[in-house]
Amino acid sequence: MPKRRPRSSSRAKQRPAARRTRRGSASWLRWAVSRTLVLSLVSFLAYVVYLDITIRNRFEGERWPVPAHVYTRPLELYQGLRLDRTRLVGELDELGYRRRDRAEQTGSYALGKDRVDVYARPFVFWDTPRAAQRFTVSFEAGRVRGLAGRGGQLGLVRLEPRLFGSVSPARHEDRHLVSLDRVPKHLIAALLAVEDRQFFQHHGIDPRGLARALWANLTAGEVVQGGSTVTQQLVKNFYLNAERTVRRKLVEMLMATLLEIHYEKREILEAYVNEVYLGQAGHRAIHGFGLGSVFYFGRPLAELNLPETAMLVGLVKGPSHYHPRRHPQRARQRRDLVLAQMLELGLIDESAAQRATRATLGVAEAGAQPATAYPAFLDFVRLQLRRDYRERDLRAEGLRVFTTLDPLVQQVAETAVRTRLAALERARQLAPGQLEAAAVVVRRDSGEVVALVGGRQPGFAGFNRALDARRPVGSLIKPAVYLAALEQPRRFTLATLLEDTPLRVEQRGSPAWTPSNYDRRFHGPTPLIHALARSYNVATARLGLEVGVDRVIGVLRRLGVDRELQPLPSLLLGAVDMAPVEVAQLYLTLAGNGFRTPLRSISSVLSQAEQPLARYPLSVEQVVEPGPMALLDYALQEVVRTGTGRTLTRRLNGGVPVSGKTGTTDDFRDSWFAGYAGDYLTVVWVGRDDNQPTGLSGAAGAMTIWTEIMDRLDLQASATPRPADIEQVLIDLETGGLADTGCRDAVLLPFIAGSAPSRPAPCAAAPAASKVRGRLRNWIKRLFDRP
């Protein structure tokens, strides 16, 4: 029997080695795979932890960049207010109130004969919260006759202020935060019927919805449907971008699950209600149903009816595609689809669905609460916020800024600028649109700016002429020259004769200065009061040089001019560039009887918690003594009675005294008028942006707009007591001497005690009759000294 050949020892050695190699490879592979799985799991868990931290930090902190919302001054109603029924109804319409047969719901009003019944909304003012309130306003002869509530007669009623703009944080997002309790139930029902029927059953992800979306995407060959739940949509809007990839979708699903783990359904739903994107207003994104309601319907969310809430819910699918103002037919179809799905789920009955589908869209004609209705005034608000509040406080979000803007006065000013500029262009045969204007209206007692117009297109957020158009002020500066003189009663009085004769002032390094008068004539010796009233340039220049240019600059500083002033003779005639708001500050001191009060555009600022922000104190300082101020005010009234503004008295109603000054610059490039009457001061500028001549003097241009504005305001005559050191003396203005009954053109002028002239005028009686003259003077003094 043959013997088996023994195996080669080398092969025998190789086989176990191969087996060991294969076992080693398998072991290494298992180790590599397990290591990779462990690392992947650790990485995944780390990523989950990162997402979890991200979600919780954002959701539990400041969730949204909420801008500061800016409000007008509230309309205050009281007996005797100059307001008719039509204007009140217009204000209610602007606030989004609805006219009804009976005012039985908040945000509604009803009309009766010579009355309006109002059911005012609740509102938190800067000084006190106001509950919803029902009241009746009755009218008579264009004024409020009375106010009545359930408890009887009311002294004062406030309507809520109008929200007219916002000061945005870093991102251009805007929203009105609302709690879920204040959201209409039919809006929530409509939202879940359309967007997420299983919201209260799933845990962030709806598998059936995902399956439907997957099938749609596979059949289309691309991502055409998301199948997202409300939670996923919130995650997408809140944390992620608009990228449509599988990876982003998986991250979205993971974050939605984490969100559902940490927070209750009500919290998630409330966040969605405030986050959802509903459209664009210029550069401002409209987020949340709270602001969406105001933007599209002009009313708070709680006041919307079924078809209106259905339309808002329909916008969620595509705010641009279904925009109700641009695409009303699409919006209506989408709204009706929402209503149909609500009917399908039994959330509404057949009759309610039919009534809702028959209803109009009910959308406000223009975007209620635009980016700002008054951009020029909002510019002023921004300046004053930085002046009066700390920067770190203003960076807080959700502030509520209550301003001094009076919508009724603003409307009057805007209308006057628009209509009068058009009339001036027609009268001067100028091409339409060549003239521009700016106007500032201020309350004399408080310095509150109640209206500000930056141009003839007040809704255009462009160049703000009221703040930024610095133009030569011309004769508007002359009251400072005369005040500097009248503060020296031993040297100057209203009766002091000034020389209105040719003047030449040599200037080193520049041509000689030779001022001339508006009428190109010289008038010889002229009483100081006439030189101001008739705006004689040469007499004013001589007076200013005698007083001293530096002294005049000092007066301007006291009156409120806060800019560099060159001590040149031309300053005396207005060779100074100022914006209308700067002129308003200067004249406010004159209108305030010598008390300098800073202009104000803000009454209060509340934090998001409705607590007032501390502001820097604003000082009111007396900078002019009562005596000189009374004399200057008398002279400024003479401007209107007999001087360059004399045509005004034939047009202004009310019979209240008017003090003012016209201003006209070289070649009729700038037309100005600044004046005060009753409780208002108004400054108006008219000119051209290209600085070309307009052919308009201050009286022919700016004063016509000023008159149009002031004639429509409710001017309340203010009785300013005459200073104790002022006495009335009969003067012959031709010579500046004491007058009596023998002087034909004698006038009574006010004087600071002891400053009246002592010498008699040539027209006065002979010395033998001095006793009679003295008695007459004493009788006149007693007559005017009576209270």
Side-chain angles (χ1 to χ4, degrees):
M1 185 174 176
K3 293 182 179 180
R4 180 183 295 176
R5 180 181 294 178
R7 292 179 180 177
S8 167
S9 60
S10 62
R11 291 183 63 187
K13 291 178 180 179
Q14 287 176 358
R15 285 172 184 163
R19 283 196 296 270
R20 286 195 301 269
T21 301
R22 286 196 295 272
R23 284 197 300 268
S25 297
S27 177
W28 178 87
L29 182 61
R30 285 193 301 272
W31 177 84
V33 170
S34 62
R35 183 186 176 102
T36 301
L37 289 174
V38 170
L39 288 175
S40 299
L41 180 59
V42 170
S43 299
F44 175 73
L45 291 175
Y47 186 60
V48 170
V49 171
Y50 163 75
L51 292 180
D52 189 69
I53 294 172
T54 300
I55 287 172
R56 296 174 68 178
N57 285 345
R58 177 78 186 276
F59 206 80
E60 295 173 7
E62 292 291 337
R63 298 181 184 177
W64 299 283
V66 181
H69 288 141
V70 185
Y71 294 84
T72 66
R73 180 180 184 172
L75 176 59
E76 295 184 337
L77 304 172
Y78 53 87
Q79 186 176 2
L81 174 65
R82 186 178 176 183
L83 183 77
D84 57 26
R85 194 179 78 158
T86 301
R87 292 183 70 183
L88 176 58
V89 168
E91 180 70 12
L92 292 170
D93 289 341
E94 288 285 345
L95 289 171
Y97 279 63
R98 284 194 158 187
R99 180 177 174 181
R100 295 283 188 253
D101 294 333
R102 299 181 65 182
E104 296 179 332
Q105 293 179 321
T106 57
S108 66
Y109 69 91
L111 299 182
K113 184 179 180 181
D114 297 326
R115 79 170 198 273
V116 180
D117 300 325
V118 182
Y119 200 158
R121 303 180 180 114
F123 191 83
V124 178
F125 291 92
W126 60 91
D127 52 357
T128 182
R130 198 271 313 274
Q133 183 179 20
R134 298 179 68 171
F135 58 88
T136 297
V137 189
S138 56
F139 299 91
E140 185 177 43
R143 292 187 179 272
V144 174
R145 183 179 62 196
L147 292 167
R150 287 185 171 180
Q153 294 299 312
L154 302 172
L156 178 72
V157 172
R158 284 176 178 168
L159 290 179
E160 62 267 29
R162 191 185 307 172
L163 178 62
F164 74 90
S166 60
V167 180
S168 298
R171 288 189 286 170
H172 297 298
E173 294 183 8
D174 200 358
R175 54 177 51 80
H176 290 177
L177 299 182
V178 294
S179 65
L180 200 60
D181 295 334
R182 304 192 67 177
V183 178
K185 292 182 179 179
H186 46 265
L187 186 144
I188 298 299
L191 177 66
L192 298 184
V194 174
E195 298 296 328
D196 191 352
R197 296 185 180 183
Q198 302 299 317
F199 176 74
F200 287 103
Q201 283 73 47
H202 65 64
H203 299 285
I205 304 170
D206 182 6
R208 285 183 292 181
L210 282 174
R212 287 194 303 269
L214 180 60
W215 177 253
N217 295 337
L218 289 174
T219 55
E222 59 179 336
V223 178
V224 295
Q225 191 177 120
S228 298
T229 63
V230 160
T231 312
Q232 288 176 261
Q233 292 180 44
L234 176 61
V235 165
K236 179 181 65 176
N237 295 334
F238 214 43
Y239 301 99
L240 304 175
N241 56 35
E243 180 186 10
R244 303 188 73 176
T245 63
V246 173
R247 178 186 177 280
R248 196 207 65 88
K249 192 68 177 178
L250 292 173
V251 172
E252 173 190 299
M253 294 166 62
L254 179 57
M255 293 181 79
T257 303
L258 291 171
L259 199 63
E260 292 266 358
I261 290 172
H262 289 297
Y263 304 102
E264 295 181 357
K265 290 286 187 179
R266 285 182 58 84
E267 292 181 89
I268 294 171
L269 192 55
E270 184 174 275
Y272 182 89
V273 163
N274 286 294
E275 172 59 25
V276 62
Y277 172 68
L278 292 175
Q280 198 76 20
H283 67 278
R284 188 180 56 131
I286 306 299
H287 283 265
F289 288 111
L291 181 58
S293 173
V294 175
F295 180 73
Y296 289 107
F297 299 104
R299 301 195 309 286
L301 186 61
E303 295 179 10
L304 298 191
N305 57 29
L306 174 62
E308 291 166 344
T309 55
M311 197 214 77
L312 275 186
V313 169
L315 285 173
V316 174
K317 184 176 178 61
S320 178
H321 186 75
Y322 296 108
H323 195 293
R325 295 191 189 94
R326 293 195 294 266
H327 310 293
Q329 188 60 34
R330 290 181 196 167
R332 185 167 192 142
Q333 291 173 352
R334 179 66 181 167
R335 179 201 69 179
D336 292 349
L337 177 61
V338 173
L339 292 168
Q341 294 195 31
M342 294 180 72
L343 177 62
E344 176 188 339
L345 294 176
L347 299 173
I348 56 175
D349 57 31
E350 184 70 36
S351 61
Q354 290 180 359
R355 287 195 304 272
T357 54
R358 286 196 301 267
T360 62
L361 288 177
V363 177
E365 291 183 4
Q369 195 227 336
T372 175
Y374 311 109
F377 195 93
L378 192 61
D379 288 342
F380 194 41
V381 169
R382 290 190 181 99
L383 287 175
Q384 302 246 297
L385 282 172
R386 290 194 290 269
R387 184 195 75 177
D388 298 340
Y389 294 90
R390 297 177 300 182
E391 185 66 29
R392 67 184 184 188
D393 291 334
L394 296 177
R395 285 198 295 266
E397 295 173 345
L399 299 178
R400 301 172 70 203
V401 181
F402 293 93
T403 73
T404 59
L405 175 65
D406 187 327
L408 296 179
V409 180
Q410 180 72 23
Q411 182 182 12
V412 165
E414 290 179 1
T415 301
V417 166
R418 184 174 60 253
T419 58
R420 292 308 306 170
L421 284 185
L424 289 171
E425 287 170 342
R426 289 193 300 269
R428 299 284 168 169
Q429 297 182 340
L430 297 173
Q434 286 194 3
L435 293 179
E436 271 296 351
V440 183
V441 186
V442 187
R443 289 193 63 90
R444 293 173 60 184
D445 57 347
S446 62
E448 294 180 349
V449 178
V450 293
L452 189 144
V453 181
R456 67 189 298 162
Q457 295 180 299
F460 175 64
F463 183 53
N464 189 341
R465 295 162 188 82
L467 299 183
D468 302 323
R470 294 177 174 84
R471 306 291 286 259
V473 297
S475 296
L476 290 190
I477 210 168
K478 289 178 180 177
V481 178
Y482 286 85
L483 181 58
L486 293 171
E487 288 184 323
Q488 306 174 65
R490 294 183 180 274
R491 297 180 62 195
F492 301 100
T493 70
L494 294 179
T496 301
L497 295 180
L498 305 179
E499 287 297 326
D500 190 60
T501 54
L503 173 65
R504 179 184 178 89
V505 179
E506 300 294 338
Q507 302 182 107
R508 182 178 299 178
S510 59
W513 185 57
T514 56
S516 60
N517 289 321
Y518 173 79
D519 58 4
R520 304 298 179 185
R521 297 168 51 200
F522 298 99
H523 307 90
T526 303
L528 183 146
I529 188 171
H530 283 177
L532 176 58
R534 298 167 187 177
S535 203
Y536 292 161
N537 288 338
V538 181
T540 301
R542 287 185 176 277
L543 177 65
L545 291 172
E546 188 173 353
V547 169
V549 177
D550 289 337
R551 191 182 189 101
V552 173
I553 290 177
V555 169
L556 288 169
R557 292 273 183 244
R558 280 189 281 139
L559 294 178
V561 176
D562 185 21
R563 64 167 44 254
E564 184 179 354
L565 299 172
Q566 297 295 328
L568 301 174
S570 57
L571 173 142
L572 302 170
L573 300 183
V576 179
D577 292 346
M578 292 188 197
V581 73
E582 294 177 280
V583 175
Q585 181 66 77
L586 186 159
Y587 271 79
L588 178 60
T589 307
L590 303 181
N593 300 309
F595 286 85
R596 186 177 63 210
T597 304
L599 292 176
R600 296 173 52 209
S601 66
I602 301 167
S603 58
S604 184
V605 178
L606 298 187
S607 68
Q608 197 166 16
E610 297 177 347
Q611 295 300 312
L613 263 64
R615 66 184 298 171
Y616 297 134
L618 300 179
S619 60
V620 177
E621 180 184 3
Q622 184 175 3
V623 295
V624 183
E625 292 298 318
M629 191 62 248
L631 300 184
L632 181 64
D633 185 66
Y634 185 90
L636 292 176
Q637 290 185 33
E638 192 69 14
V639 171
V640 177
R641 285 193 293 262
T642 65
T644 56
R646 58 188 176 277
T647 59
L648 187 153
T649 56
R650 296 197 293 267
R651 289 179 282 180
L652 192 63
N653 293 328
V656 296
V658 179
S659 305
K661 187 70 188 77
T662 55
T664 310
T665 59
D666 292 344
D667 300 322
F668 298 93
R669 297 178 191 275
D670 301 279
S671 170
W672 290 90
F673 190 79
Y676 47 94
D679 39 8
Y680 290 102
L681 157 72
T682 297
V683 175
V684 177
W685 167 84
V686 174
R688 290 176 55 166
D689 287 342
D690 60 7
N691 201 30
Q692 293 300 306
T694 65
L696 296 169
S697 65
M703 195 174 75
T704 64
I705 297 177
W706 187 96
T707 305
E708 188 83 10
I709 294 172
M710 296 292 277
D711 200 33
R712 295 180 181 274
L713 300 184
D714 189 15
L715 301 178
Q716 302 293 326
S718 55
T720 303
R722 194 175 68 199
D725 62 343
I726 295 294
E727 59 181 4
Q728 299 278 344
V729 179
L730 198 63
I731 297 294
D732 173 42
L733 285 181
E734 185 176 350
T735 62
L738 291 172
D740 60 14
T741 54
C743 299
R744 298 176 55 187
D745 298 323
V747 297
L748 275 170
L749 288 182
F751 289 86
I752 295 175
S755 67
S758 56
R759 60 180 180 81
C763 61
S770 60
K771 179 182 282 190
V772 176
R773 186 172 62 246
R775 288 176 179 173
L776 177 61
R777 185 163 61 247
N778 290 335
W779 176 81
I780 293 172
K781 185 176 184 301
R782 287 196 304 273
L783 177 66
F784 283 91
D785 281 344
R786 290 176 182 172

